[in-house]
Amino acid sequence: YMNLLISLSFTILIIGVGHAFIKKHSKFCYILATIISIILITISYTGAIANIPEFIRFYILPLFTNSAFATSLFIVVMYTGALKNGSKLMKLLFPIRAELSIIACILTLAHNIIFGRYHFVALFTNPKSMSFNMLLAAIVSLMLIAIMLPLMITSFPNIRKKMKYKSWKNLQRFAYAFYGLTYFHIMLIMMPIAKTGNTKYIINVLVYSVVYLTYAVLRINKALSKNKKLAVLS
């Protein structure tokens, strides 16, 4: 849970200080995220990660390799959609929502490549060697990638402009499935360990559950409020 809380704090700081920079220099941010991803993949695959100072290896790298930072970006993106229209926070976050999402997608792909060499390989070559939870988690990961890539590609302005708004909007609604499956994926990995009484994982389950279920309540409430307003107007 500390990785998520640290990542969320870092994300909030970056947005608070650099939201204008992210919007103006989005390509630089994408290139930076790609470079970070390539470095993470390289040191993981070559074993060079073992030569990195312990503090960085145990406290910094996991924020990226375990996808905590990418998840924190997705959390900001998804909560933006649940905020009240016209609110100050909505006005701050909405203009960079697509940029944050693309950065998160790039970093998430790195996470999948790093762990995929174990779990995806086992899934396709020796699924019987995997526990049921990890087998299901790997399958859910592939589903998440299949949803994430189209969402990522169509978040780029030049791609979005070539699409009909209704088609783009319908595709973007798959983001809800992405958020739900992300929570399911996290629970598949953490719940078995939490059930053994591991305090760290019990707290992890509680923290992630509060974050995702609170979002679900807020988003559903916003949708219901919108429907009520439309009903009144009609």
Side-chain angles (χ1 to χ4, degrees):
Y1 70 98
M2 285 305 298
N3 282 345
L4 178 64
L5 296 180
I6 291 169
S7 295
L8 279 171
S9 300
F10 187 41
T11 297
I12 291 168
L13 177 63
I14 289 172
I15 293 172
V17 174
H19 63 277
F21 180 90
I22 294 170
K23 188 66 181 179
K24 187 176 181 180
H25 303 285
S26 57
K27 289 181 180 178
F28 171 82
C29 295
Y30 304 152
I31 292 170
L32 180 61
T34 302
I35 292 171
I36 290 171
S37 297
I38 291 170
I39 292 171
L40 292 171
I41 293 165
T42 302
I43 62 175
S44 296
Y45 273 69
T46 61
I49 193 169
N51 300 320
I52 292 173
E54 285 191 6
F55 178 80
I56 296 175
R57 183 156 34 106
F58 291 114
Y59 297 102
I60 305 298
L61 290 183
L63 301 179
F64 297 95
T65 56
N66 292 343
S67 202
F69 181 62
T71 300
S72 71
L73 290 171
F74 279 129
I75 287 171
V76 171
V77 171
M78 71 182 194
Y79 266 84
T80 300
L83 293 173
K84 183 179 179 181
N85 292 339
S87 65
K88 288 184 178 180
L89 196 53
M90 179 74 152
K91 290 178 180 178
L92 173 71
L93 295 174
F94 196 81
I96 58 170
R97 194 183 184 193
E99 288 78 7
L100 294 177
S101 179
I102 292 169
I103 295 167
C105 288
I106 294 169
L107 295 173
T108 299
L109 284 173
H111 163 75
N112 279 282
I113 292 170
I114 290 168
F115 286 93
R117 66 173 175 152
Y118 304 113
H119 302 300
F120 292 156
V121 171
L123 175 65
F124 291 110
T125 61
N126 190 18
K128 291 182 180 179
S129 68
M130 306 175 75
S131 67
F132 176 74
N133 277 66
M134 290 311 296
L135 176 69
L136 197 54
I139 293 170
V140 171
S141 286
L142 292 175
M143 294 170 64
L144 285 167
I145 293 170
I147 295 171
M148 184 181 75
L149 288 176
L151 292 175
M152 174 186 171
I153 292 167
T154 55
S155 291
F156 287 98
N158 56 335
I159 302 296
R160 179 179 174 177
K161 288 176 183 177
K162 293 178 181 179
M163 298 179 66
K164 292 181 179 179
Y165 177 76
K166 189 175 181 180
S167 299
W168 179 83
K169 193 71 176 177
N170 288 336
L171 179 61
Q172 290 298 312
R173 288 198 175 98
F174 278 95
Y176 301 123
F178 179 82
Y179 300 146
L181 285 171
T182 298
Y183 174 68
F184 183 46
H185 174 73
I186 293 168
M187 290 301 106
L188 282 170
I189 295 171
M190 293 188 175
M191 279 297 288
I193 305 175
K195 286 180 179 178
T196 65
N198 186 303
T199 304
K200 177 183 175 182
Y201 278 82
I202 291 172
I203 296 173
N204 273 336
V205 168
L206 290 174
V207 170
Y208 277 99
S209 294
V210 168
V211 169
Y212 278 87
L213 297 180
T214 299
Y215 161 73
V217 171
L218 290 174
R219 192 64 189 85
I220 291 169
N221 182 61
K222 183 176 180 178
L224 292 174
S225 298
K226 182 180 178 180
N227 289 336
K228 285 181 181 178
K229 288 180 180 179
L230 290 174
V232 171
L233 290 173
S234 61

